[in-house]
Amino acid sequence: MTSTDSAATDNAQKAPAKDPWDLPDVSGLVVGVLGGTGPQGKGLAYRLAKAGQKVIIGSRAADRAQAAAEEIGHAVEGADNAETARRSDIVIVAVPWDGHGKTLESLREELAGKLVVDCVNPLGFDKKGAYALKPEEGSAAEQAAALLPDSRVTAAFHHLSAVLLQDPEIDEIDTDVMVLGEVRADVEIVQALAGRIPGMRGIFAGRLRNAHQVESLVANLISVNRRYKAHAGLRVTDV
């Protein structure tokens, strides 16, 4: 057999390409939300719990987290950040940017081995409006990866309106979620988690080195919202 014949045989025996929409079942995973007492974290916790996900929200103060969990309902639990990290399979980081690094550094041990989903947007504000900040590491997600070497860091849920997430009168969130990460299996878990929320899709959007522009786009959406009195989201077409 010639080398050409061998290559043809090898190609014929290759498995078909994986369907990008063939995503895992994540319904049994426990989701922790650090910063779960803030608008974004509380909104995500509400939507995921309403969809049937087991959710724990974390805060620096356990009593604040417990009070927020009671307000959300849907069997959401509240705990301090460390306990939330320990008890969760997936941990969403929704803390304010100015506390991002310090919070993650303090939870390095508890987050070891966990799938971490960073949704923090480094932004500044002045009289002209919102503008993007660029962390030394390149993005909030890359900062998380640097601070959590034993965790599996991804980035997602940046472009969601906290107002819409928390509104019980809204049944579906009409938006796509751009998901970034280094390992396909981890990205697909996060995509599947986003897909648990009615109206939402998780879309692979590259590796963590591309997170800065995704995080930065929130400054543009804030400008859109102010001009049009809206709660804008994103849709990726032809996918």
Side-chain angles (χ1 to χ4, degrees):
M1 180 182 295
T2 67
S3 59
T4 302
D5 292 337
S6 177
T9 301
D10 290 344
N11 288 334
Q13 292 175 346
K14 283 182 180 178
K18 187 179 185 298
D19 181 353
W21 296 111
D22 180 15
L23 301 174
D25 178 8
V26 297
S27 59
L29 299 181
V30 178
V31 178
V33 184
L34 304 182
T37 58
Q40 190 83 351
K42 190 184 291 185
L44 278 168
Y46 167 65
R47 289 292 164 178
L48 289 169
K50 187 179 180 183
Q53 208 75 35
K54 173 60 185 172
V55 177
I56 307 170
I57 60 173
S59 174
R60 286 177 295 180
D63 56 345
R64 284 188 62 210
Q66 290 160 2
E70 290 178 11
E71 182 182 339
I72 294 168
H74 296 281
V76 173
E77 294 184 43
D80 64 36
N81 282 333
E83 182 180 346
T84 298
R86 281 193 297 267
R87 292 178 56 196
S88 301
D89 301 303
I90 305 173
V91 179
I92 298 173
V93 181
V95 300
W97 166 241
D98 58 6
H100 181 264
K102 186 176 180 181
T103 299
L104 295 184
E105 195 169 19
S106 70
L107 296 171
R108 181 176 295 166
E109 182 178 340
E110 290 83 359
L111 290 171
K114 306 289 184 177
L115 176 54
V116 174
V117 187
D118 200 297
C119 69
V120 176
N121 303 301
L123 297 176
F125 295 87
D126 60 20
K127 61 185 179 182
K128 293 182 179 180
Y131 60 94
L133 303 174
K134 189 158 188 179
E136 182 179 346
E137 298 84 356
S139 64
E142 288 169 296
Q143 183 183 87
L147 292 171
L148 304 172
D150 298 319
S151 303
R152 296 139 54 207
V153 176
T154 60
F157 301 116
H158 302 91
H159 306 137
L160 306 181
S161 164
V163 173
L164 298 184
L165 287 174
Q166 294 184 85
D167 189 341
E169 299 300 315
I170 294 175
D171 294 325
E172 295 190 0
I173 304 296
D174 180 23
T175 195
D176 287 331
V177 171
M178 301 179 79
V179 185
L180 304 98
E182 301 300 318
V183 179
R184 179 165 182 164
D186 292 339
V187 169
E188 289 180 345
I189 289 172
V190 181
Q191 288 180 261
L193 186 67
R196 295 272 288 160
I197 299 174
M200 197 176 288
R201 295 188 307 173
I203 305 289
F204 172 64
R207 295 179 178 270
L208 289 184
R209 68 181 184 179
N210 292 320
H212 171 65
Q213 55 264 39
V214 173
E215 297 168 0
S216 300
L217 191 56
V218 174
N220 302 89
L221 290 177
I222 290 172
S223 297
V224 170
N225 290 338
R226 287 181 174 173
R227 174 62 62 89
Y228 298 100
K229 311 301 182 190
H231 302 290
L234 295 178
R235 276 295 187 198
V236 180
T237 62
D238 199 32
V239 174

